[in-house]
Amino acid sequence: MSVAEMEESRIIQTEYSELMQKSYIDYAMSVIIARALPDVRDGLKPVQRRTLYDMYELGIRYDKPYRKSARIVGDTMGKYHPHGDSSIYDALVVMAQDFKKGLPLVDGHGNFGSIEGDGAAAMRYTEARLQKVTQEAFLGDLDKNVVDFGPNFDETEKEPLVLPVKVPNLLINGAEGIAVGMATSIPPHNLAEVIDGVIAYMKNPDITTEEMMDYIKGPDFPTGGIVANKDELLSIYETGMGKIKLRGKVEVEHGKGGKDRLVITEIPYTMIGANIGKFLNDIYSLVETKKTADIVDITNQSSKEGIRIVLDLKKGANIENLENLLYKKTKLEDTFGVNMLAVADGRPETMGLLSIIRHHVNFQYEIATRKYKTLLAKDLDKKEIQEGLIEACNVIDLIIEILRGSSSLKQAKACLISGEVSDIKFKSEASKKQAGNLRFTERQATAILEMRLYKLIGLEIEALMKDHEETLRNIATYEDILSHRSSMAKVIIKELTGFKKEYARERRTLIDNLKEAVVVEKPMEVKDVVFLMDRFGYAKTMELSLYERNKEAADSENRYVFVCKNTDKIAIFTNIGQMHLLKVQDLPVCKLRDKGIPIDNKSNYDSKLEDVICVAALEQLNGNKLFFGTKTGMVKLVDGTEFDVAKRTTAATKLADNDEVLNVSVLLGQETVVMRSKKDMFLRIEAGTIPEKKKGAIGVRGIRLGVDDSLTDIYVLPEGEAREVEVKGKTVALNRLHIANRDTKGVKK
């Protein structure tokens, strides 16, 4: 076979779509199983598990000095987790933050970030070590063969496939993760309640979710707050999915002169980080937009002691209504989406509360079985050796005679194991006969030969006897635990009770059913304001009296200036035939020199894709006709009431391909329309001769254009208004053009 034929025989033909599908599924499962989702047994993602195990391997115990985070991250990345240092350090930081974890697993030393969103210092500055609970409840039995180990990424190290966690960490600390096509979001719970729930399940595996909630009341967030939909928790815990409504805790402090203050002392868990700053900005916006006039000042007095956001109120403020306003308009009331998704038996599964506890309990029985099998095997070995040493002490003179009469260690060992005496010199035949009856095991013979002489002291022999008795008791205990599930359950429950006693804390989150926040908004005082927008698209409103004092400057500096109501909407017509609506009250009330805000920020208008053709108050359109003119010469009139819609954006007119709107004008009287083409053809018609159409119509032909000609400008002239334009160096007075019929060619200028 030639080389070419051999190469051709190695080519595997496959359908490209099948290959892509298989590759993507492999990638997705890798992300799901090996990165994004926690294991239901230990409640840890791979990066968390590897980081904790690496700290355990490095000996960074809770009672040992802190070690640099960079050392931990580097060692974890080099040995177990080759995915970049930032992901490892981020996991380490989160496990040390008591405002994110109900049970922090890492003891951080240095700047590990704040609840307000400040990031942790670089890993070269911070230090860390294991928490005591992590060492005892997460890593305590790793030396007892309780979990399987597998090769690391380059098969140079062994790592645990799961940690032997003795508390239901998935519920206690919760989890968040985004995989491919799925995400997990499990709220944290109170350690004491969860342990009580696990014990209740172990005593009664047929317990219902409703009965379980007598022990596990609901989520317990590190930030406190209030769960406001208690009645929906049962459904969430049964299905593993749902929405928890969270509220911050607000207290009222009474000040002098009837001036009270609202103090936010606890925040929803979802507000952690940058959302605190957003919350403050939302309160500022409520004040600026005059949604409330009760807030005089806002100060953030939060510190290491806890959250304290103070709102100073004016005298006689409606506190209840203001609280409801904060719940309704800010993140002080938020939703925590629950999706209790975790890896169970090697596959992702959405589980209810009982299912998670069942997996945890089964895991506890599994690791307890492996632990006590290991301990039993060790104590059986110890028993064998102890019995050999005790027997040896009883015939120590004979053993010494054997050792003195042997010419090699091998000879002496053979005599102890099988009674081989042929080559050993004895003082008497009786000794030789007695030695021939010896039948020690291999381990016993080795232990006897290695025994030191001081072990023959009376007290040492007595201690050996006591150790043997203790070993026998241990063996009986271990065999009882392994033979009876009830005995094993008692051991597990005793251990759980010990963890509860040492690490339990009071519940922080209140569980209740609260009424929907209802805001009684005061009707806005209707008044005239002046809308101003410059050529760059920055808009604002101004008090009418202030505008009248600065009318000349305001008119010269702005493209659109008109009076409207503060309760009105502004209609923005663009060249692509769209109309965007903007609430006047969303615009800031400014002074003359204030810049305002871009209309892009408050409407769906996009300055990169469209140009403003006309801006008018919606109230001005009602009762009037709107003129539309396009580049291809299509014109129409539309009743203004058609644009009084609820949608923020609507199609103002229909356009043909490669057409665009050149002019939109509100007609108020006897206007005339002048159309100018790029070949300098002019046609002036009366606006009243243009037929009225619906906004969804293209319109009718306003001017008959020549080949390759199109309109460049359309002018709407009010009656009696004079306007001039320049054409090839000469001036053309538009108001003096002859009024012709629609759909004619016009005149050349």
Side-chain angles (χ1 to χ4, degrees):
M1 184 182 289
S2 66
V3 174
E5 288 174 335
M6 290 175 66
E7 289 293 334
E8 188 176 348
S9 68
R10 284 201 292 264
I11 295 174
I12 300 171
Q13 293 190 355
T14 183
E15 182 65 35
Y16 186 70
S17 61
E18 292 177 6
L19 183 66
M20 287 295 294
Q21 185 179 14
K22 182 181 181 302
S23 298
Y24 191 77
I25 289 172
D26 290 345
Y27 158 73
M29 289 305 296
S30 173
V31 172
I32 291 165
I33 304 298
R35 194 176 300 192
L37 299 187
D39 193 296
V40 69
R41 295 169 294 175
D42 61 7
L44 298 171
K45 298 180 187 179
V47 64
Q48 296 170 324
R49 185 181 305 119
R50 289 165 174 168
T51 303
L52 294 177
Y53 178 67
D54 186 76
M55 294 175 75
Y56 171 81
E57 284 287 282
L58 289 173
I60 312 174
R61 309 290 199 264
Y62 76 92
D63 53 354
K64 297 289 175 61
Y66 294 94
R67 297 282 285 277
K68 282 287 185 187
S69 299
R71 171 66 196 276
I72 298 167
V73 170
D75 204 63
T76 304
M77 181 168 60
K79 286 183 178 178
Y80 309 115
H81 197 74
H83 294 297
D85 56 0
S86 61
S87 63
I88 301 170
Y89 186 51
D90 289 346
L92 182 73
V93 167
V94 170
M95 287 191 289
Q97 292 176 327
D98 58 3
F99 52 86
K100 282 191 178 177
K101 295 291 182 185
L103 185 69
L105 305 180
V106 171
D107 181 7
H109 184 242
N111 176 14
F112 272 78
S114 75
I115 195 171
E116 295 188 15
D118 302 314
M123 68 180 84
R124 61 183 178 274
Y125 299 121
T126 59
E127 298 175 331
R129 65 185 178 190
L130 291 171
Q131 290 276 15
K132 186 180 180 185
V133 65
T134 314
Q135 193 169 316
E136 292 178 352
F138 285 65
L139 303 158
D141 288 332
L142 270 176
D143 57 343
K144 296 181 178 67
N145 189 33
V146 291
V147 292
D148 293 331
F149 279 68
N152 69 338
F153 63 91
D154 61 0
E155 300 189 356
T156 58
E157 302 278 346
K158 293 285 186 181
E159 62 173 314
L161 303 182
V162 64
L163 291 187
V165 178
K166 297 174 184 175
V167 294
N169 180 54
L170 187 65
L171 289 174
I172 293 169
N173 274 328
E176 286 184 4
I178 300 172
V180 178
M182 60 184 69
T184 184
S185 179
I186 303 173
H189 294 77
N190 185 272
L191 180 140
E193 292 180 4
V194 172
I195 287 177
D196 286 342
V198 169
I199 293 172
Y201 178 85
M202 292 178 71
K203 291 179 178 178
N204 176 22
D206 296 323
I207 191 171
T208 65
T209 304
E210 190 172 3
E211 290 169 339
M212 180 61 73
M213 289 183 66
D214 291 337
Y215 303 96
I216 303 174
K217 311 293 183 186
D220 186 24
F221 296 98
T223 54
I226 304 168
V227 171
N229 57 336
K230 180 180 179 181
D231 287 346
E232 295 178 29
L233 291 179
L234 178 59
S235 170
I236 291 170
Y237 282 144
E238 282 183 336
T239 63
M241 300 178 71
K243 293 180 179 179
I244 295 173
K245 189 181 292 183
L246 297 178
R247 282 186 182 179
K249 189 175 180 183
V250 182
E251 296 178 355
V252 180
E253 293 182 358
H254 300 289
K256 295 179 181 178
K259 291 183 178 179
D260 299 329
R261 49 172 51 177
L262 280 184
V263 182
I264 295 142
T265 56
E266 294 176 6
I267 59 173
Y269 187 65
T270 51
M271 201 192 283
I272 290 175
N275 281 331
I276 293 180
K278 186 178 184 305
F279 169 65
L280 295 173
N281 287 333
D282 288 343
I283 298 176
Y284 292 136
S285 297
L286 291 176
V287 176
E288 283 182 357
T289 56
K290 295 184 171 55
K291 291 281 175 63
T292 178
D294 290 336
I295 300 174
V296 177
D297 192 21
I298 311 164
T299 52
N300 186 1
Q301 300 174 10
S302 303
S303 64
K304 289 182 179 178
E305 281 66 47
I307 293 291
R308 183 177 168 83
I309 299 171
V310 180
L311 309 182
D312 290 311
L313 309 181
K314 73 177 186 181
K315 189 174 180 179
N318 186 336
I319 293 175
E320 184 181 352
N321 194 60
L322 181 56
E323 277 188 45
N324 287 337
L325 183 67
L326 294 177
Y327 290 139
K328 202 78 175 174
K329 301 293 184 181
T330 73
K331 289 284 185 180
L332 194 61
E333 179 177 292
D334 205 2
T335 299
F336 183 96
V338 177
N339 184 20
M340 299 205 288
L341 179 73
V343 177
D345 300 323
R347 53 181 291 178
E349 184 181 338
T350 300
M351 292 169 279
L353 182 63
L354 287 179
S355 182
I356 291 174
I357 291 175
R358 182 174 64 253
H359 278 286
H360 171 75
V361 170
N362 291 341
F363 182 54
Q364 293 313 299
Y365 280 119
E366 180 188 332
I367 62 177
T369 301
R370 293 181 63 161
K371 173 184 175 180
Y372 288 107
K373 278 184 177 179
T374 302
L375 291 175
L376 177 61
K378 284 183 178 179
D379 271 19
L380 286 172
D381 290 345
K382 192 189 289 186
K383 170 179 173 268
E384 180 185 339
I385 291 168
Q386 286 171 343
E387 287 175 346
L389 292 175
I390 290 168
E391 178 63 28
C393 288
N394 293 333
V395 291
I396 192 63
D397 292 335
L398 176 62
I399 289 173
I400 291 172
E401 192 174 337
I402 292 169
L403 294 175
R404 294 185 69 180
S406 299
S407 59
S408 68
L409 180 65
K410 184 178 179 182
Q411 242 179 38
K413 194 172 185 179
C415 180
L416 293 174
I417 294 172
S418 58
E420 181 62 47
V421 296
S422 56
D423 296 325
I424 300 174
K425 297 175 182 178
F426 290 93
K427 292 180 180 179
S428 64
E429 281 298 321
S431 297
K432 186 175 183 179
K433 185 177 180 182
Q434 191 178 356
N437 294 326
L438 293 177
R439 291 295 183 273
F440 290 104
T441 65
E442 177 88 25
R443 284 200 188 93
Q444 289 173 338
T446 302
I448 291 166
L449 293 171
E450 291 175 352
M451 183 175 66
R452 298 188 179 185
L453 288 175
Y454 79 86
K455 290 288 185 181
L456 300 175
I457 299 170
L459 289 175
E460 289 293 331
I461 294 173
E462 191 178 328
L464 177 62
M465 299 295 289
K466 285 183 179 178
D467 285 347
H468 182 55
E469 289 172 6
E470 186 182 345
T471 301
L472 292 176
R473 284 195 299 271
N474 287 342
I475 289 171
T477 301
Y478 300 153
E479 286 178 340
D480 178 57
I481 291 170
L482 290 168
S483 303
H484 302 95
R485 194 173 177 89
S486 59
S487 299
M488 188 178 287
K490 285 179 183 177
V491 172
I492 295 171
I493 289 171
K494 183 180 178 182
E495 213 166 20
L496 285 171
T497 305
F499 290 131
K500 176 187 170 183
K501 185 176 180 181
E502 185 166 359
Y503 301 111
R505 57 163 178 77
E506 291 295 320
R507 165 173 277 281
R508 294 172 182 166
T509 302
L510 179 67
I511 309 289
D512 203 352
N513 284 313
L514 301 179
K515 294 179 180 177
E516 184 76 24
V518 178
V519 179
V520 180
E521 296 189 29
K522 293 180 180 177
M524 183 182 291
E525 181 188 350
V526 181
K527 61 180 181 179
D528 286 336
V529 294
V530 179
F531 170 86
L532 303 99
M533 188 179 108
D534 63 19
R535 60 193 180 93
F536 300 108
Y538 282 79
K540 60 190 175 186
T541 60
M542 186 184 290
E543 297 287 345
L544 187 58
S545 58
L546 180 62
Y547 166 73
E548 289 172 347
R549 291 198 301 271
N550 300 276
K551 185 176 187 307
E552 186 176 342
D555 289 349
S556 63
E557 294 172 8
N558 290 280
R559 180 180 174 188
Y560 296 99
V561 180
F562 53 80
V563 177
C564 61
K565 301 292 184 185
N566 59 344
T567 54
D568 202 0
K569 293 179 181 178
I570 303 296
I572 303 165
F573 295 91
T574 70
N575 64 319
I576 62 172
Q578 296 291 308
M579 181 195 74
H580 306 290
L581 289 179
L582 166 66
K583 290 182 179 178
V584 174
Q585 65 189 48
D586 287 344
L587 295 171
V589 180
C590 300
K591 296 179 181 177
L592 178 65
R593 297 301 172 198
D594 292 341
K595 196 169 187 179
I597 59 172
I599 56 173
D600 303 55
N601 294 3
K602 293 294 181 179
S603 69
N604 292 337
Y605 168 73
D606 189 343
S607 57
K608 295 178 181 177
L609 302 177
E610 49 190 335
D611 298 324
V612 175
I613 299 299
C614 174
V615 177
L618 194 60
E619 190 178 70
Q620 184 187 1
L621 304 186
N622 291 328
N624 290 312
K625 299 288 188 289
L626 261 75
F627 164 79
F628 283 82
T630 73
K631 186 172 70 173
T632 58
M634 304 304 292
V635 295
K636 67 175 179 178
L637 300 184
V638 181
D639 193 314
T641 55
E642 285 202 40
F643 300 100
D644 191 356
V645 293
K647 291 168 65 176
R648 294 184 67 189
T649 297
T650 187
T653 186
K654 186 176 180 181
L655 290 172
D657 293 341
N658 300 318
D659 200 3
E660 66 176 291
V661 178
L662 289 183
N663 190 297
V664 177
S665 297
V666 181
L667 302 182
L668 301 174
Q670 300 297 316
E671 291 90 348
T672 57
V673 176
V674 178
M675 290 167 275
R676 175 185 179 180
S677 78
K678 66 181 181 181
K679 292 184 178 180
D680 295 327
M681 298 295 294
F682 284 80
L683 176 65
R684 184 183 180 200
I685 63 174
E686 290 182 349
T689 64
I690 301 171
E692 184 177 328
K693 300 283 185 180
K694 294 292 184 182
K695 65 180 180 182
I698 290 180
V700 297
R701 192 161 59 186
I703 183 173
R704 192 172 296 175
L705 295 169
V707 179
D708 296 330
D709 201 5
S710 61
L711 297 185
T712 58
D713 296 288
I714 299 176
Y715 309 96
V716 176
L717 305 180
E719 187 177 14
E721 180 181 304
R723 190 181 303 182
E724 296 178 340
V725 295
E726 189 173 306
V727 181
K728 296 178 181 178
K730 61 182 181 179
T731 301
V732 175
L734 299 179
N735 56 308
R736 292 185 179 179
L737 290 172
H738 171 69
I739 296 177
N741 292 327
R742 180 182 60 80
D743 196 18
T744 55
K745 291 184 178 181
V747 294
K748 178 80 172 177
K749 292 292 181 180

